[in-house]
């Protein structure tokens, strides 16, 4: 199963070709306009946003002009720098993004506001595979707890 996101127009049907417009130009333009509007509200220039978001100024320019759409990580950086939520900049992405997947059954992927992913998979698997998945999830939980406890133990500077 691949996890490459692609964008679709609701009701476009199975013949819609995501490569024809990846993502649709209207999404890129709308996101760019929202970034530009927020810059105007704050009285910032693109250079200031680039510095605060720790991104290249050329990337910011491409986003604003609707030539590129920031990926999830960069979109979060831009939103954080502008003091807004990702959904404020790109509400279309919540409903317009699917994940390429084989027909294994119902699957759902959604990104939470803090950047993590919620995954729902309904698929028949054998016990060995199930145990591997549960083990991986336990390792992930242990790593998160360990990381959190290390941060708690560090003295404040």
């Amino acid at each position: 199963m691949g996890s490459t996101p692609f964008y679709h127009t609701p009701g476009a049907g199975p013949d819609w070709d995501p490569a024809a417009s990846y993502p649709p130009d209207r999404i890129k333009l709308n996101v760019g306009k929202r970034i530009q509007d927020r810059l105007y509200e704050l009285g910032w220039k693109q250079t200031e946003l680039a510095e605060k978001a720790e991104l290249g100024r050329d990337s910011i320019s491409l986003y604003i002009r609707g030539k590129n759409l920031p990926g999830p990580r960069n979109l979060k950086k831009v939103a954080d720098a502008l003091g807004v939520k990702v959904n404020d900049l790109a509400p279309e992405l919540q409903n317009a993004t699917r994940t390429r997947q084989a027909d294994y059954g119902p699957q759902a992927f959604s990104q939470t506001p803090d950047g993590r992913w919620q995954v729902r998979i309904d698929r028949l698997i054998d016990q060995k595979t199930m145990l591997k998945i549960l083990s991986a999830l336990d390792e992930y939980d242990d790593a998160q707890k360990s990381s959190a406890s290390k941060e708690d133990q560090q003295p404040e500077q």
Side-chain angles (χ1 to χ4, degrees):
M1 173 181 84
S3 61
T4 304
F6 69 98
Y7 302 87
H8 69 286
T9 303
D15 295 331
W16 181 78
D17 179 13
S21 179
Y22 183 84
D25 290 337
R26 66 176 170 72
I27 292 177
K28 293 187 280 191
L29 290 169
N30 289 343
V31 171
K33 181 173 180 350
R34 289 185 194 100
I35 293 171
Q36 180 65 46
D37 290 348
R38 184 66 179 148
L39 282 178
Y40 183 76
E41 289 173 15
L42 296 171
W44 290 0
K45 299 199 179 292
Q46 292 179 15
T47 304
E48 293 171 273
L49 175 57
E51 289 171 3
K52 293 180 188 304
E54 298 178 350
L55 297 170
R57 197 213 144 303
D58 289 343
S59 294
I60 298 297
S61 175
L62 290 170
Y63 302 154
I64 289 173
R65 290 185 291 141
K67 300 294 182 186
N68 285 348
L69 182 71
R73 184 173 294 157
N74 287 351
L75 186 59
K76 177 136 178 60
K77 286 181 174 184
V78 169
D80 289 347
L82 293 172
V84 297
K85 295 181 179 178
V86 170
N87 283 342
D88 294 337
L89 292 180
E92 303 94 340
L93 295 184
Q94 186 169 1
N95 295 326
T97 306
R98 295 190 296 175
T99 300
R100 293 180 194 263
Q101 61 192 33
D103 290 330
Y104 295 123
Q107 301 179 17
F109 302 88
S110 59
Q111 191 168 18
T112 61
D114 63 1
R116 295 181 301 158
W117 287 86
Q118 181 172 357
V119 180
R120 289 188 199 110
I121 302 172
D122 184 8
R123 180 175 173 186
L124 291 174
I125 56 174
D126 58 46
Q127 184 177 5
K128 183 177 176 183
T129 303
M130 180 201 54
L131 293 173
K132 285 181 183 179
I133 292 170
L134 292 174
S135 175
L137 290 172
D138 285 342
E139 288 175 19
Y140 174 80
D141 289 341
D142 291 342
Q144 294 294 346
K145 289 175 189 172
S146 174
S147 175
S149 67
K150 285 181 184 176
E151 290 176 7
D152 291 343
Q153 294 175 357
Q154 291 183 356
E156 294 183 16
Q157 296 179 354

